[in-house]
Amino acid sequence: DGGITQSPKYLFRKEGQNVTLSCEQNLNHDAMYWYRQDPGQGLRLIYYSQIVNDFQKGDIAEGYSVSREKKESFPLTVTSAQKNPTAFYLCASSREARLNYGYTFGSGTRLTVV
Amino acid sequence: AQSVTQPDIHITVSEGASLELRCNYSYGATPYLFWYVQSPGQGLQLLLKYFSGDTLVQGIKGFEAEFKRSQSSFNLRKPSVHWSDAAEYFCAVGAGNTGGFKTIFGAGTRLFVKA
């Protein structure tokens, strides 16, 4: 079955470390997105990519970086510059970049700073 | 400013009772409207969407939603709630032809179901 796979499900980061969250989709979707979810705040857009080798900052991109070298993959790196990284991170994809049919989401990665 | 408001942080409903979750939006262009559901520790799943046409849309799991342009609302309903419906529900609004990255999510409403 097609879908989005996020790994790992749980991730622990020490102060000053960079960590990378994986997101892979086999839906042949053009667009991919990273969201951060904090309790009571809904979802906030970190980065999005509408096509391979191109990506754009969302509303809260500071302290994060991404790459889109393959259509299927959109990894997110949480850098040491992100001062409050503890959150639930969700990767999503949509069929077309320009038309909004809604998202397919992965099951998320919970990142905790220790 | 574009925004989505879900006035109820949480709602408790008895199993078998009807459900209505409220959603109000502010959006300059013609809105595309969505409802998503999230079980604890999981990603979001699309329940239904409204683009145009009939203002009453049917979704998965027996849910429906009604678009009321005059009230800027897109409320989610279910005639009879099951215990498995306990989850968090998110309303979202976006543009139709400028890409999903302009989708705005509400803060969510957590549904509790009591036996």
Side-chain angles (χ1 to χ4, degrees), chain B residues 18-78:
Chain B
S18 63
L19 169 70
E20 183 168 25
L21 301 181
R22 296 183 291 162
C23 173
N24 295 99
Y25 67 90
S26 173
Y27 201 77
T30 300
Y32 279 32
L33 295 156
F34 307 86
W35 275 100
Y36 291 86
V37 61
Q38 184 181 34
S39 297
Q42 298 297 315
L44 280 69
Q45 181 183 21
L46 182 64
L47 281 175
L48 48 78
K49 57 195 175 194
Y50 171 78
F51 293 163
S52 64
D54 192 345
T55 57
L56 184 64
V57 294
Q58 303 298 319
I60 62 172
K61 306 185 182 202
F63 286 92
E64 65 179 27
E66 186 171 13
F67 171 57
K68 294 185 177 180
R69 184 184 300 275
S70 62
Q71 298 178 20
S72 297
S73 69
F74 188 57
N75 294 350
L76 182 71
R77 301 194 294 246
K78 186 170 185 178

Side-chain angles (χ1 to χ4, degrees), chain A residues 9 33 35 37 40-43 45 48 50 88 90 97-103 105-108 110, chain B residues 32 34 36 38 41-44 46 49 51 88 90 94-101 103 105-107:
Chain A
K9 191 170 179 63
Y33 312 84
Y35 282 90
Q37 186 177 26
Q41 294 194 41
L43 277 68
L45 182 63
Y48 65 95
Q50 295 180 299
F88 191 52
L90 288 161
R98 302 302 295 175
L99 296 177
N100 191 356
Y101 293 119
Y103 294 156
F105 281 88
S107 58
R110 185 165 299 280
Chain B
Y32 279 32
F34 307 86
Y36 291 86
Q38 184 181 34
Q42 298 297 315
L44 280 69
L46 182 64
K49 57 195 175 194
F51 293 163
E88 190 152 23
F90 292 90
N97 59 359
T98 55
F101 64 92
T103 298
F105 288 84

Side-chain angles (χ1 to χ4, degrees), chain A residues 12-73:
Chain A
F12 297 90
R13 191 193 94 166
K14 294 182 179 179
E15 296 284 348
Q17 273 186 340
N18 293 352
V19 292
T20 297
L21 284 59
S22 171
C23 177
E24 303 277 335
Q25 55 104 352
N26 60 2
L27 300 164
N28 199 34
H29 283 181
D30 288 337
M32 298 186 74
Y33 312 84
W34 274 105
Y35 282 90
R36 171 178 172 142
Q37 186 177 26
D38 296 282
Q41 294 194 41
L43 277 68
R44 292 183 290 169
L45 182 63
I46 304 172
Y47 268 98
Y48 65 95
S49 169
Q50 295 180 299
I51 194 170
V52 174
N53 291 322
D54 185 60
F55 48 83
Q56 305 295 328
K57 292 181 179 180
D59 301 320
I60 57 165
E62 185 175 353
Y64 300 97
S65 66
V66 294
S67 63
R68 186 92 184 273
E69 298 177 359
K70 300 185 299 182
K71 187 174 185 178
E72 304 79 21
S73 179

